[in-house]
Amino acid sequence: MQVRYTKAGVARYRAMYDDARGRRQTAGTFATRKEAVAAWHAAEADIAKGGLGDRRRGRQTFRTYVEKKWLPHQVLEASTRQDYTYKIDKHLMGFFGPMRMCDILPEHVREWITEMQRKGASPATIQKCKRGILNSIFTTALNDQVITNHPSRGVRIPPVPKRPKKVITAKQFDDLYRMLPDADSRLLVEATIESGLRWGELAELRLKDLDFVTRVLTVSRTVVELNPKFHPTGGRFLVKPYPKGKEYRRFKLSPQIVRKLKAYAEAEHLQDDDLFFRYHHDDKPQTRKLRPVLLPGAYGKTTPNERGKTYDHGSLTAYTTGKCRCEHCKEAYRLYRAQRRTAGKDNPRSRRTRQTDGHIPADWFRKQVWNPARRDTGLNDVTPHHLRHAHASWLLAGGADLQVVKERLGHASIATTEQYLHTLPTADETALAALGKIRGPQLSEALDAEAPELDTLKAENERLRAALADMALSLHAAPTKPRLNTA
């Protein structure tokens, strides 16, 4: 216990105790010795039974705890850490960041959910942030004895509707396949539909993973693309020595795709450790679009700035001083920079190249190869991952065993595989045929019984139509009354 005196000579008693690490801590300052002794004893008793030691830990802000304690020391995959960091900065820090950990209550979590809905966040985004991240942060803080209650436990979130899986048909795949730009991309896409591999597993597929004699493919690795600051060595691609689910899997491929892969490997002189599909730098010069000649003053005026001034669209002043970013003003600035580079006043910007070790970037493949072919085919909202859905659905529709399909796809639960049952457009034809077998005879009898009544109704309808026609003719033939001249 420490005794201190104020300027007025009044004694103040500070209760001191040793925490679990033997560090001297304070349990508070009191006006009487008795209160200080009671606080000191209570803190030591709390330590003895494993309770909160330093109560100041709960007074740290949410931002401090997450950035200094939770994120650096939580065991997470590199890709998960990257995803969590982005979501925390975007969706959580703005609301919870300045709040003290001990002050966060369930009512604040509900307020955050309402705020997320007001900003237009989808129920799926709210679910990922609340269940995946926020719950984990508060659970860890509770275990660390930073907080005494779990503020997000039991807080309900908006329901997330379960959408049916979109599966392309064999004809749609053939149309898409023919629109792909080259033989390499067609082989990659065909290997995906034949194997059902995830993108990371396909991008990491190496020659040694496929036995050309037995046609058995071994999936033992995957690759993820990261921001360099989340990569252990500052790279771009991180190879994980296990696929999703952390279990290897082995399955056979069809003879025709194995023949194509073997021919490709021989033509490219691939070695055992070489990637089947590699990213090749495009050294061809880029074709530039023809741009219109700028005529300042012909495109109108910019919106007034804070000083009420306007500028001609398509002029350098409108871009620099008027802060206009329309196409005409950006073109004026582009021409200005091009003239300076031509005059040797600025160093030309080097062409951007993808940072890769040979792995194909997923976004590059999607934008440069997949999306043009998809648009030409007319398939909207179809991604390369839909080929995995199609693989599973086609297998099950063709009569493959559910357990076999589960093992090929590497699903942890067979319930995940069951989602691919009856996903093709023709899946309900069998059910409708079975319904027709049972209801068919009764439906025919009902139609036969209703036939006389239908004939009577048809005759009555014809009679009424004839009567209306006769009435119309009589009205047309009747003489019209002369009009009176009131002038």
Side-chain angles (χ1 to χ4, degrees):
M1 183 185 302
Q2 294 179 352
V3 182
R4 294 185 177 183
Y5 294 91
T6 66
K7 292 182 179 180
V10 179
R12 300 288 293 174
Y13 301 91
R14 176 177 293 180
M16 306 297 295
Y17 70 97
D18 293 335
D19 63 11
R21 293 186 176 182
R23 297 174 301 184
R24 184 58 56 91
Q25 305 289 351
T26 176
T29 304
F30 304 91
T32 65
R33 180 183 295 272
K34 182 178 181 180
E35 291 174 334
V37 171
W40 160 39
H41 289 165
E44 287 194 342
D46 208 9
I47 289 291
K49 66 180 182 181
L52 278 170
D54 188 358
R55 297 181 181 272
R56 292 174 299 179
R57 288 157 54 85
R59 295 199 289 269
Q60 61 184 310
T61 63
F62 180 88
R63 180 183 296 276
T64 300
Y65 179 74
V66 171
E67 293 180 347
K68 304 296 184 183
K69 303 292 180 61
W70 190 79
L71 266 178
H73 307 299
Q74 190 78 355
V75 179
L76 298 170
E77 296 278 1
S79 55
T80 305
R81 187 180 303 279
Q82 173 180 275
D83 182 54
Y84 278 14
T85 302
Y86 290 153
K87 283 185 169 61
I88 288 171
D89 291 341
K90 183 177 181 180
H91 299 298
L92 297 179
M93 282 303 180
F95 188 92
F96 294 106
M99 298 180 67
R100 299 193 307 177
M101 292 293 290
C102 60
D103 293 337
I104 301 176
L105 299 173
E107 65 176 288
H108 299 123
V109 179
R110 287 191 288 270
E111 290 175 7
W112 167 77
I113 293 174
T114 303
E115 179 70 11
M116 289 282 285
Q117 290 178 304
R118 188 188 62 80
K119 291 181 178 179
S122 66
T125 299
I126 297 175
Q127 183 188 69
K128 290 177 182 178
C129 291
K130 194 266 182 184
R131 290 185 178 176
I133 304 176
L134 206 57
N135 282 3
S136 179
I137 291 173
F138 289 136
T139 298
T140 307
L142 187 64
N143 293 336
D144 290 344
Q145 299 185 8
V146 173
I147 56 178
T148 58
N149 66 301
H150 197 300
S152 66
R153 183 176 296 162
V155 176
R156 301 183 63 179
I157 59 175
V160 180
K162 197 170 186 179
R163 299 177 181 176
K165 292 188 179 296
K166 187 170 186 177
V167 177
I168 62 174
T169 63
K171 182 181 182 307
Q172 289 173 327
F173 173 77
D174 291 339
D175 294 341
L176 177 67
Y177 181 82
R178 286 192 292 269
M179 291 297 176
L180 293 170
D182 51 53
D184 289 355
S185 60
R186 284 192 287 270
L187 180 61
L188 185 149
V189 168
E190 188 174 4
T192 307
I193 200 73
E194 289 277 346
S195 64
L197 293 177
R198 301 177 179 92
W199 175 260
E201 298 167 347
L202 183 74
E204 176 53 22
L205 188 63
R206 301 180 185 268
L207 185 66
K208 63 184 178 182
D209 297 324
L210 178 59
D211 189 332
F212 292 113
V213 177
T214 62
R215 309 198 314 272
V216 173
L217 177 67
T218 303
V219 183
S220 58
R221 299 175 310 281
T222 188
V223 64
V224 293
E225 188 175 0
L226 302 170
N227 186 312
K229 67 180 181 180
F230 295 101
H231 194 286
T233 60
R236 192 72 180 179
F237 291 86
L238 177 65
V239 177
K240 298 194 293 187
Y242 49 81
K244 186 177 180 179
K246 301 177 180 58
E247 289 186 6
Y248 293 11
R249 64 185 192 275
R250 303 174 76 246
F251 54 86
K252 273 193 173 185
L253 296 179
S254 65
Q256 63 94 13
I257 191 62
V258 171
R259 284 196 299 270
K260 290 183 179 180
L261 289 172
K262 184 177 181 181
Y264 175 78
E266 293 174 349
E268 296 291 328
H269 306 290
L270 298 182
Q271 302 299 317
D272 283 349
D273 287 330
D274 290 341
L275 293 169
F276 257 112
F277 307 105
R278 294 181 60 84
Y279 173 76
H280 299 286
H281 295 282
D282 187 7
D283 296 328
K284 295 185 297 183
Q286 292 181 336
T287 57
R288 296 188 178 275
K289 297 185 295 183
L290 294 177
R291 303 177 184 270
V293 177
L294 290 177
L295 298 173
Y299 311 108
K301 296 285 188 177
T302 63
T303 56
N305 59 13
E306 60 275 5
R307 293 179 294 176
K309 292 187 176 182
T310 60
Y311 306 90
D312 290 334
H313 279 300
S315 64
L316 185 62
T317 309
Y319 184 91
T320 56
T321 307
K323 307 298 182 183
C324 180
R325 295 298 182 266
C326 71
E327 291 300 322
H328 305 300
C329 294
K330 288 195 293 185
E331 181 65 12
Y333 186 70
R334 187 195 69 80
L335 290 174
Y336 165 74
R337 291 298 305 275
Q339 292 169 0
R340 287 185 61 86
R341 287 194 294 269
T342 303
K345 295 181 179 180
D346 290 330
N347 294 325
R349 181 178 56 189
S350 61
R351 185 181 177 185
R352 182 192 175 195
T353 58
R354 296 301 299 252
Q355 183 183 356
T356 174
D357 54 2
H359 291 94
I360 300 177
D363 65 326
W364 175 87
F365 178 82
R366 186 174 59 254
K367 294 176 182 178
Q368 302 297 327
V369 179
W370 181 267
N371 286 348
R374 175 185 58 79
R375 285 192 294 266
D376 294 340
T377 311
L379 295 175
N380 297 324
D381 302 326
V382 175
T383 67
H385 192 71
H386 283 92
L387 299 179
R388 177 174 165 86
H389 297 336
H391 176 79
S393 299
W394 293 2
L395 287 178
L396 293 172
D401 182 73
L402 190 63
Q403 181 65 26
V404 172
V405 177
K406 169 185 174 297
E407 293 174 358
R408 286 180 68 93
L409 295 177
H411 288 157
S413 170
I414 201 167
T416 306
T417 315
E418 289 175 346
Q419 297 177 10
Y420 295 98
L421 290 169
H422 314 302
T423 52
L424 290 175
T426 58
D428 280 344
E429 296 297 332
T430 304
L432 292 176
L435 179 63
K437 288 181 181 179
I438 301 300
R439 194 170 179 232
Q442 287 76 8
L443 188 60
S444 299
E445 293 177 3
L447 291 176
D448 293 340
E450 293 176 358
E453 184 178 352
L454 291 175
D455 293 339
T456 303
L457 291 175
K458 288 179 181 179
E460 182 67 17
N461 187 36
E462 292 296 331
R463 186 184 66 78
L464 291 174
R465 291 177 63 183
L468 290 173
D470 294 340
M471 185 180 298
L473 289 174
S474 62
L475 291 174
H476 182 71
T480 58
K481 294 181 180 181
R483 295 182 179 180
L484 298 177
N485 188 357
T486 58

